[in-house]
Amino acid sequence: MVREYYEKICAGDEIRANLIRLRDELKEESNRREFAYLLGGDFSLLCSLLQQEDPKVRKNVALVLGKLESEDLLPILFEAYKKEETLYIRADYLKAMSGLDFRPLSEELRERLSSLRDVDDWQPEEWKHVSEEIRILQAMVLRCQGIRHHRFGGGREREDVILLTNRRQREATAEQIQKKSRITMLAGDIRVDGAVLKEIRAIRTYSEMLFPLKVEALPADQPDRCGVMLADPVLSLTDRIYNGSGTFLFRLELRGGDKDPSGKDADQMIHVGTYKEKKNSFLRRISDALERASGTRLLNSVTDYEIEIRLVLRKDGTFAAMLKPSSDFDERFAYRKEHLPTSIAPVNAALAAHLALPWLKEGAQILDPFCGVGTMLIERNYACKAGTMYGLDLFGEAVDKAIRNTRRAGLLVNYINRDFFTFRHEYPFDEVITDMPRSTGDGSKSALRQLYHDFFARVVDFLAEKAVLVIYTQEPNYVVESVRAVPALRIEKHFLLNEKNSTMVFIILRGNESL
């Protein structure tokens, strides 16, 4: 099809339509190779189309040329871009150049970016296209300069933060916070006024730390004003908690709001009373205004961003604004580079270990019979220093990932690629901690129920006297049934984590006496 479309273009047959079809074909690498071979380095016909009167022909041929990834085309595309007067296609020239080595043009690109930003009287319809051009130019300039991310510098001794926690177990996080801080329990979160950041960053049982921005209520039906109002509070906070100042890359995240009644584009719209706008356009207007109001010290970036500005729509039609620092700020789970779709979230493993803390002991010999990528054992050791640890898993890839995660955590665990039901061990274990399987090979509930029964019946043989089992599960009924069938085991306590999927943590003891 590549040859057919190109021959039609050469013959002047429906040039725009065939350029669009050719573009679609060139999404495949094999088709790009075929087309490059067909052209044999002769781009003259395609380049001549950059002079066509129809702007959509110029747009599409520029994008086709960009797919060819030939550095010889860079100056041709750049000259065509500089001469282009149709605003809505200028960004497409930049997209075409983005796949090439445009570093020799860095100074000219920087000047172009500056000149576009200096114009402050763009009409709304013009600005929609110019802002897209600015965004792509900005990304290209940043690539030329290299992106220098900021590092957390300690900030003030105390800051106000909001911790997103497990709704049913907020107290598990609250009890780890110094009493000097003022704690307010929210619907599913915790607000900590005057939090000591060094202390908070070490707590492992919250999922996210957000900094509430000190800004007046943001009118959700005025996106441009929102951007202006956010600039100073965001810069004040970022300058305070990071080393140095300079430019910060950000992304906007919008949460809350009504759905589009049509349902089709429900997640693509923002509704505030009678105000309605496409979500992407709405966020673009906020970010554009924020960039300008900050003097471009804040730059919107889809990738490589280091702060997230989160806007949460209130019922009164205003936004609450919070800032989430980059991943460099939160290094609690930096060891967990490897995971699988079924892997437990590290914060959930940390919460399970923390809830079990009264029953854990230092130096314990521990077994995880369904270890996955090792998260439960690693978090168990963070909660209370363990002795010898063993992890079993039938899935070889999981064991390989567990080994790499554990090395990054600076720990030693004996991982074995083996089914628990064929495992043998000479010495008993003080503790078993595991995230129970959510399915079996055939995917049936009856088979999963049988696995639970078989597991608890057999695990007793591996337990020391007064041993502890910490079981994370989404099948609490299977746990209760199975434990009742084993006289040597009894449920000491259980913690509900999520009522929607019935996730629980069980503390199960061997023997008749409490520890």
Side-chain angles (χ1 to χ4, degrees), residues 367-372 377 390-395 399 414-421 423-424 462:
L367 171 68
D368 184 344
F370 310 104
C371 70
L377 287 171
Y390 283 80
L392 310 177
D393 205 285
L394 187 60
F395 190 27
V399 171
N414 301 293
Y415 288 111
I416 304 172
N417 181 197
R418 183 173 297 176
D419 184 353
F420 166 72
F421 296 102
F423 176 63
R424 299 287 184 272
F462 295 90

PDB file of all heavy atoms in Angstrom, residues 367-372 377 390-395 399 414-421 423-424 462:
ATOM      1  N   LEU A 367       8.851 -17.527  56.839  1.00  0.00           N
ATOM      2  CA  LEU A 367       8.555 -18.130  55.543  1.00  0.00           C
ATOM      3  C   LEU A 367       7.424 -17.374  54.874  1.00  0.00           C
ATOM      4  O   LEU A 367       6.405 -17.073  55.499  1.00  0.00           O
ATOM      5  CB  LEU A 367       8.129 -19.599  55.715  1.00  0.00           C
ATOM      6  CG  LEU A 367       7.581 -20.297  54.457  1.00  0.00           C
ATOM      7  CD1 LEU A 367       8.678 -20.479  53.416  1.00  0.00           C
ATOM      8  CD2 LEU A 367       6.934 -21.636  54.816  1.00  0.00           C
ATOM      9  N   ASP A 368       7.614 -17.048  53.571  1.00  0.00           N
ATOM     10  CA  ASP A 368       6.511 -16.581  52.730  1.00  0.00           C
ATOM     11  C   ASP A 368       6.309 -17.648  51.663  1.00  0.00           C
ATOM     12  O   ASP A 368       7.110 -17.777  50.737  1.00  0.00           O
ATOM     13  CB  ASP A 368       6.831 -15.227  52.089  1.00  0.00           C
ATOM     14  CG  ASP A 368       5.648 -14.682  51.273  1.00  0.00           C
ATOM     15  OD1 ASP A 368       4.730 -15.473  50.959  1.00  0.00           O
ATOM     16  OD2 ASP A 368       5.654 -13.478  50.952  1.00  0.00           O
ATOM     17  N   PRO A 369       5.251 -18.432  51.761  1.00  0.00           N
ATOM     18  CA  PRO A 369       5.049 -19.561  50.843  1.00  0.00           C
ATOM     19  C   PRO A 369       4.566 -19.155  49.448  1.00  0.00           C
ATOM     20  O   PRO A 369       4.603 -19.962  48.529  1.00  0.00           O
ATOM     21  CB  PRO A 369       3.994 -20.406  51.555  1.00  0.00           C
ATOM     22  CG  PRO A 369       3.270 -19.445  52.431  1.00  0.00           C
ATOM     23  CD  PRO A 369       4.244 -18.405  52.834  1.00  0.00           C
ATOM     24  N   PHE A 370       4.098 -17.904  49.283  1.00  0.00           N
ATOM     25  CA  PHE A 370       3.665 -17.391  47.979  1.00  0.00           C
ATOM     26  C   PHE A 370       4.286 -16.001  47.813  1.00  0.00           C
ATOM     27  O   PHE A 370       3.585 -14.997  47.789  1.00  0.00           O
ATOM     28  CB  PHE A 370       2.133 -17.311  47.910  1.00  0.00           C
ATOM     29  CG  PHE A 370       1.428 -18.580  48.331  1.00  0.00           C
ATOM     30  CD1 PHE A 370       0.812 -18.677  49.572  1.00  0.00           C
ATOM     31  CD2 PHE A 370       1.386 -19.678  47.484  1.00  0.00           C
ATOM     32  CE1 PHE A 370       0.159 -19.839  49.963  1.00  0.00           C
ATOM     33  CE2 PHE A 370       0.731 -20.843  47.862  1.00  0.00           C
ATOM     34  CZ  PHE A 370       0.129 -20.940  49.110  1.00  0.00           C
ATOM     35  N   CYS A 371       5.592 -15.968  47.705  1.00  0.00           N
ATOM     36  CA  CYS A 371       6.337 -14.712  47.927  1.00  0.00           C
ATOM     37  C   CYS A 371       6.222 -13.704  46.795  1.00  0.00           C
ATOM     38  O   CYS A 371       6.503 -12.522  46.992  1.00  0.00           O
ATOM     39  CB  CYS A 371       7.808 -15.011  48.207  1.00  0.00           C
ATOM     40  SG  CYS A 371       8.732 -15.632  46.774  1.00  0.00           S
ATOM     41  N   GLY A 372       5.839 -14.130  45.586  1.00  0.00           N
ATOM     42  CA  GLY A 372       5.782 -13.166  44.492  1.00  0.00           C
ATOM     43  C   GLY A 372       7.116 -12.479  44.303  1.00  0.00           C
ATOM     44  O   GLY A 372       8.163 -13.116  44.245  1.00  0.00           O
ATOM     45  N   LEU A 377       7.979  -9.950  52.500  1.00  0.00           N
ATOM     46  CA  LEU A 377       9.137 -10.225  53.353  1.00  0.00           C
ATOM     47  C   LEU A 377       9.959  -8.960  53.597  1.00  0.00           C
ATOM     48  O   LEU A 377      10.427  -8.717  54.719  1.00  0.00           O
ATOM     49  CB  LEU A 377      10.009 -11.303  52.710  1.00  0.00           C
ATOM     50  CG  LEU A 377       9.450 -12.725  52.762  1.00  0.00           C
ATOM     51  CD1 LEU A 377      10.287 -13.658  51.896  1.00  0.00           C
ATOM     52  CD2 LEU A 377       9.384 -13.245  54.195  1.00  0.00           C
ATOM     53  N   TYR A 390      12.794 -17.034  54.200  1.00  0.00           N
ATOM     54  CA  TYR A 390      12.644 -17.875  53.029  1.00  0.00           C
ATOM     55  C   TYR A 390      11.418 -17.412  52.230  1.00  0.00           C
ATOM     56  O   TYR A 390      10.383 -17.070  52.808  1.00  0.00           O
ATOM     57  CB  TYR A 390      12.440 -19.349  53.420  1.00  0.00           C
ATOM     58  CG  TYR A 390      13.695 -20.055  53.842  1.00  0.00           C
ATOM     59  CD1 TYR A 390      14.205 -19.889  55.127  1.00  0.00           C
ATOM     60  CD2 TYR A 390      14.368 -20.900  52.965  1.00  0.00           C
ATOM     61  CE1 TYR A 390      15.369 -20.545  55.527  1.00  0.00           C
ATOM     62  CE2 TYR A 390      15.523 -21.557  53.356  1.00  0.00           C
ATOM     63  CZ  TYR A 390      16.020 -21.371  54.634  1.00  0.00           C
ATOM     64  OH  TYR A 390      17.167 -22.017  55.023  1.00  0.00           O
ATOM     65  N   GLY A 391      11.562 -17.411  50.907  1.00  0.00           N
ATOM     66  CA  GLY A 391      10.444 -17.089  50.032  1.00  0.00           C
ATOM     67  C   GLY A 391      10.298 -18.154  48.962  1.00  0.00           C
ATOM     68  O   GLY A 391      11.270 -18.500  48.287  1.00  0.00           O
ATOM     69  N   LEU A 392       9.076 -18.659  48.798  1.00  0.00           N
ATOM     70  CA  LEU A 392       8.800 -19.681  47.781  1.00  0.00           C
ATOM     71  C   LEU A 392       7.834 -19.123  46.747  1.00  0.00           C
ATOM     72  O   LEU A 392       6.913 -18.362  47.084  1.00  0.00           O
ATOM     73  CB  LEU A 392       8.136 -20.915  48.412  1.00  0.00           C
ATOM     74  CG  LEU A 392       8.775 -21.553  49.648  1.00  0.00           C
ATOM     75  CD1 LEU A 392       7.904 -22.706  50.123  1.00  0.00           C
ATOM     76  CD2 LEU A 392      10.175 -22.027  49.337  1.00  0.00           C
ATOM     77  N   ASP A 393       8.038 -19.492  45.510  1.00  0.00           N
ATOM     78  CA  ASP A 393       7.033 -19.181  44.498  1.00  0.00           C
ATOM     79  C   ASP A 393       7.193 -20.144  43.329  1.00  0.00           C
ATOM     80  O   ASP A 393       8.311 -20.468  42.920  1.00  0.00           O
ATOM     81  CB  ASP A 393       7.153 -17.739  43.996  1.00  0.00           C
ATOM     82  CG  ASP A 393       5.827 -17.237  43.444  1.00  0.00           C
ATOM     83  OD1 ASP A 393       5.446 -17.642  42.333  1.00  0.00           O
ATOM     84  OD2 ASP A 393       5.147 -16.465  44.156  1.00  0.00           O
ATOM     85  N   LEU A 394       6.058 -20.590  42.823  1.00  0.00           N
ATOM     86  CA  LEU A 394       6.036 -21.526  41.701  1.00  0.00           C
ATOM     87  C   LEU A 394       6.421 -20.847  40.395  1.00  0.00           C
ATOM     88  O   LEU A 394       6.850 -21.495  39.449  1.00  0.00           O
ATOM     89  CB  LEU A 394       4.636 -22.137  41.601  1.00  0.00           C
ATOM     90  CG  LEU A 394       4.395 -23.264  40.599  1.00  0.00           C
ATOM     91  CD1 LEU A 394       5.309 -24.450  40.907  1.00  0.00           C
ATOM     92  CD2 LEU A 394       2.934 -23.699  40.648  1.00  0.00           C
ATOM     93  N   PHE A 395       6.289 -19.521  40.353  1.00  0.00           N
ATOM     94  CA  PHE A 395       6.511 -18.749  39.136  1.00  0.00           C
ATOM     95  C   PHE A 395       7.959 -18.251  39.121  1.00  0.00           C
ATOM     96  O   PHE A 395       8.360 -17.407  39.929  1.00  0.00           O
ATOM     97  CB  PHE A 395       5.523 -17.587  39.108  1.00  0.00           C
ATOM     98  CG  PHE A 395       5.478 -16.833  37.801  1.00  0.00           C
ATOM     99  CD1 PHE A 395       5.798 -17.434  36.592  1.00  0.00           C
ATOM    100  CD2 PHE A 395       5.103 -15.506  37.783  1.00  0.00           C
ATOM    101  CE1 PHE A 395       5.740 -16.741  35.400  1.00  0.00           C
ATOM    102  CE2 PHE A 395       5.046 -14.788  36.598  1.00  0.00           C
ATOM    103  CZ  PHE A 395       5.370 -15.408  35.404  1.00  0.00           C
ATOM    104  N   VAL A 399      10.291 -15.080  41.197  1.00  0.00           N
ATOM    105  CA  VAL A 399      11.466 -15.302  42.050  1.00  0.00           C
ATOM    106  C   VAL A 399      12.636 -14.468  41.570  1.00  0.00           C
ATOM    107  O   VAL A 399      13.356 -13.851  42.376  1.00  0.00           O
ATOM    108  CB  VAL A 399      11.828 -16.800  42.079  1.00  0.00           C
ATOM    109  CG1 VAL A 399      13.169 -17.026  42.771  1.00  0.00           C
ATOM    110  CG2 VAL A 399      10.729 -17.589  42.786  1.00  0.00           C
ATOM    111  N   ASN A 414      16.361 -16.119  51.255  1.00  0.00           N
ATOM    112  CA  ASN A 414      16.552 -17.371  50.528  1.00  0.00           C
ATOM    113  C   ASN A 414      15.318 -17.637  49.670  1.00  0.00           C
ATOM    114  O   ASN A 414      14.292 -18.105  50.168  1.00  0.00           O
ATOM    115  CB  ASN A 414      16.754 -18.524  51.524  1.00  0.00           C
ATOM    116  CG  ASN A 414      17.950 -18.296  52.416  1.00  0.00           C
ATOM    117  OD1 ASN A 414      19.087 -18.303  51.966  1.00  0.00           O
ATOM    118  ND2 ASN A 414      17.691 -18.070  53.703  1.00  0.00           N
ATOM    119  N   TYR A 415      15.412 -17.292  48.398  1.00  0.00           N
ATOM    120  CA  TYR A 415      14.287 -17.503  47.489  1.00  0.00           C
ATOM    121  C   TYR A 415      14.443 -18.843  46.779  1.00  0.00           C
ATOM    122  O   TYR A 415      15.536 -19.199  46.317  1.00  0.00           O
ATOM    123  CB  TYR A 415      14.208 -16.383  46.456  1.00  0.00           C
ATOM    124  CG  TYR A 415      13.741 -15.065  47.035  1.00  0.00           C
ATOM    125  CD1 TYR A 415      14.612 -13.988  47.152  1.00  0.00           C
ATOM    126  CD2 TYR A 415      12.422 -14.904  47.462  1.00  0.00           C
ATOM    127  CE1 TYR A 415      14.187 -12.778  47.685  1.00  0.00           C
ATOM    128  CE2 TYR A 415      11.987 -13.708  48.000  1.00  0.00           C
ATOM    129  CZ  TYR A 415      12.874 -12.643  48.109  1.00  0.00           C
ATOM    130  OH  TYR A 415      12.448 -11.458  48.648  1.00  0.00           O
ATOM    131  N   ILE A 416      13.323 -19.551  46.675  1.00  0.00           N
ATOM    132  CA  ILE A 416      13.325 -20.867  46.035  1.00  0.00           C
ATOM    133  C   ILE A 416      12.159 -20.942  45.053  1.00  0.00           C
ATOM    134  O   ILE A 416      11.017 -20.644  45.411  1.00  0.00           O
ATOM    135  CB  ILE A 416      13.186 -21.994  47.083  1.00  0.00           C
ATOM    136  CG1 ILE A 416      14.291 -21.876  48.143  1.00  0.00           C
ATOM    137  CG2 ILE A 416      13.236 -23.358  46.408  1.00  0.00           C
ATOM    138  CD1 ILE A 416      14.118 -22.834  49.311  1.00  0.00           C
ATOM    139  N   ASN A 417      12.456 -21.322  43.831  1.00  0.00           N
ATOM    140  CA  ASN A 417      11.428 -21.483  42.803  1.00  0.00           C
ATOM    141  C   ASN A 417      10.793 -22.865  42.982  1.00  0.00           C
ATOM    142  O   ASN A 417      11.204 -23.839  42.360  1.00  0.00           O
ATOM    143  CB  ASN A 417      12.077 -21.337  41.419  1.00  0.00           C
ATOM    144  CG  ASN A 417      11.093 -21.475  40.273  1.00  0.00           C
ATOM    145  OD1 ASN A 417      11.492 -21.694  39.142  1.00  0.00           O
ATOM    146  ND2 ASN A 417       9.797 -21.354  40.545  1.00  0.00           N
ATOM    147  N   ARG A 418       9.778 -22.912  43.857  1.00  0.00           N
ATOM    148  CA  ARG A 418       9.172 -24.213  44.176  1.00  0.00           C
ATOM    149  C   ARG A 418       7.752 -24.011  44.679  1.00  0.00           C
ATOM    150  O   ARG A 418       7.419 -23.010  45.309  1.00  0.00           O
ATOM    151  CB  ARG A 418       9.996 -24.925  45.241  1.00  0.00           C
ATOM    152  CG  ARG A 418       9.479 -26.320  45.591  1.00  0.00           C
ATOM    153  CD  ARG A 418      10.426 -27.045  46.514  1.00  0.00           C
ATOM    154  NE  ARG A 418      11.727 -27.267  45.869  1.00  0.00           N
ATOM    155  CZ  ARG A 418      12.785 -27.813  46.474  1.00  0.00           C
ATOM    156  NH1 ARG A 418      12.698 -28.186  47.748  1.00  0.00           N
ATOM    157  NH2 ARG A 418      13.910 -27.972  45.825  1.00  0.00           N
ATOM    158  N   ASP A 419       6.934 -25.000  44.429  1.00  0.00           N
ATOM    159  CA  ASP A 419       5.574 -25.027  44.942  1.00  0.00           C
ATOM    160  C   ASP A 419       5.632 -25.304  46.448  1.00  0.00           C
ATOM    161  O   ASP A 419       6.337 -26.223  46.905  1.00  0.00           O
ATOM    162  CB  ASP A 419       4.804 -26.146  44.225  1.00  0.00           C
ATOM    163  CG  ASP A 419       3.341 -26.209  44.621  1.00  0.00           C
ATOM    164  OD1 ASP A 419       2.942 -25.480  45.549  1.00  0.00           O
ATOM    165  OD2 ASP A 419       2.599 -26.988  43.992  1.00  0.00           O
ATOM    166  N   PHE A 420       4.888 -24.539  47.224  1.00  0.00           N
ATOM    167  CA  PHE A 420       4.851 -24.741  48.668  1.00  0.00           C
ATOM    168  C   PHE A 420       4.496 -26.175  49.033  1.00  0.00           C
ATOM    169  O   PHE A 420       5.019 -26.737  50.012  1.00  0.00           O
ATOM    170  CB  PHE A 420       3.840 -23.774  49.304  1.00  0.00           C
ATOM    171  CG  PHE A 420       3.482 -24.116  50.713  1.00  0.00           C
ATOM    172  CD1 PHE A 420       4.390 -23.930  51.753  1.00  0.00           C
ATOM    173  CD2 PHE A 420       2.238 -24.670  51.019  1.00  0.00           C
ATOM    174  CE1 PHE A 420       4.057 -24.263  53.064  1.00  0.00           C
ATOM    175  CE2 PHE A 420       1.896 -25.004  52.320  1.00  0.00           C
ATOM    176  CZ  PHE A 420       2.804 -24.803  53.345  1.00  0.00           C
ATOM    177  N   PHE A 421       3.619 -26.799  48.250  1.00  0.00           N
ATOM    178  CA  PHE A 421       3.123 -28.124  48.609  1.00  0.00           C
ATOM    179  C   PHE A 421       4.133 -29.238  48.350  1.00  0.00           C
ATOM    180  O   PHE A 421       3.885 -30.397  48.713  1.00  0.00           O
ATOM    181  CB  PHE A 421       1.808 -28.395  47.877  1.00  0.00           C
ATOM    182  CG  PHE A 421       0.711 -27.451  48.292  1.00  0.00           C
ATOM    183  CD1 PHE A 421       0.363 -26.379  47.481  1.00  0.00           C
ATOM    184  CD2 PHE A 421       0.066 -27.604  49.507  1.00  0.00           C
ATOM    185  CE1 PHE A 421      -0.638 -25.495  47.864  1.00  0.00           C
ATOM    186  CE2 PHE A 421      -0.933 -26.719  49.901  1.00  0.00           C
ATOM    187  CZ  PHE A 421      -1.284 -25.657  49.079  1.00  0.00           C
ATOM    188  N   PHE A 423       7.490 -28.379  49.140  1.00  0.00           N
ATOM    189  CA  PHE A 423       8.628 -27.826  49.879  1.00  0.00           C
ATOM    190  C   PHE A 423       8.890 -28.652  51.139  1.00  0.00           C
ATOM    191  O   PHE A 423       7.983 -29.145  51.786  1.00  0.00           O
ATOM    192  CB  PHE A 423       8.313 -26.371  50.246  1.00  0.00           C
ATOM    193  CG  PHE A 423       9.357 -25.703  51.097  1.00  0.00           C
ATOM    194  CD1 PHE A 423      10.652 -25.504  50.624  1.00  0.00           C
ATOM    195  CD2 PHE A 423       9.042 -25.237  52.368  1.00  0.00           C
ATOM    196  CE1 PHE A 423      11.604 -24.863  51.396  1.00  0.00           C
ATOM    197  CE2 PHE A 423       9.981 -24.597  53.141  1.00  0.00           C
ATOM    198  CZ  PHE A 423      11.266 -24.408  52.654  1.00  0.00           C
ATOM    199  N   ARG A 424      10.183 -28.789  51.456  1.00  0.00           N
ATOM    200  CA  ARG A 424      10.607 -29.442  52.700  1.00  0.00           C
ATOM    201  C   ARG A 424      11.605 -28.543  53.418  1.00  0.00           C
ATOM    202  O   ARG A 424      12.425 -27.876  52.777  1.00  0.00           O
ATOM    203  CB  ARG A 424      11.274 -30.802  52.404  1.00  0.00           C
ATOM    204  CG  ARG A 424      10.382 -31.810  51.712  1.00  0.00           C
ATOM    205  CD  ARG A 424       9.322 -32.361  52.682  1.00  0.00           C
ATOM    206  NE  ARG A 424       8.524 -33.401  52.047  1.00  0.00           N
ATOM    207  CZ  ARG A 424       7.435 -33.178  51.344  1.00  0.00           C
ATOM    208  NH1 ARG A 424       7.022 -31.925  51.161  1.00  0.00           N
ATOM    209  NH2 ARG A 424       6.741 -34.172  50.803  1.00  0.00           N
ATOM    210  N   PHE A 462       5.154 -26.788  59.410  1.00  0.00           N
ATOM    211  CA  PHE A 462       6.333 -25.932  59.308  1.00  0.00           C
ATOM    212  C   PHE A 462       6.459 -24.951  60.472  1.00  0.00           C
ATOM    213  O   PHE A 462       7.413 -24.174  60.519  1.00  0.00           O
ATOM    214  CB  PHE A 462       6.280 -25.121  57.996  1.00  0.00           C
ATOM    215  CG  PHE A 462       6.369 -25.957  56.761  1.00  0.00           C
ATOM    216  CD1 PHE A 462       5.233 -26.464  56.155  1.00  0.00           C
ATOM    217  CD2 PHE A 462       7.600 -26.258  56.199  1.00  0.00           C
ATOM    218  CE1 PHE A 462       5.312 -27.242  55.018  1.00  0.00           C
ATOM    219  CE2 PHE A 462       7.696 -27.035  55.061  1.00  0.00           C
ATOM    220  CZ  PHE A 462       6.546 -27.531  54.474  1.00  0.00           C
TER     221      PHE A 462
END
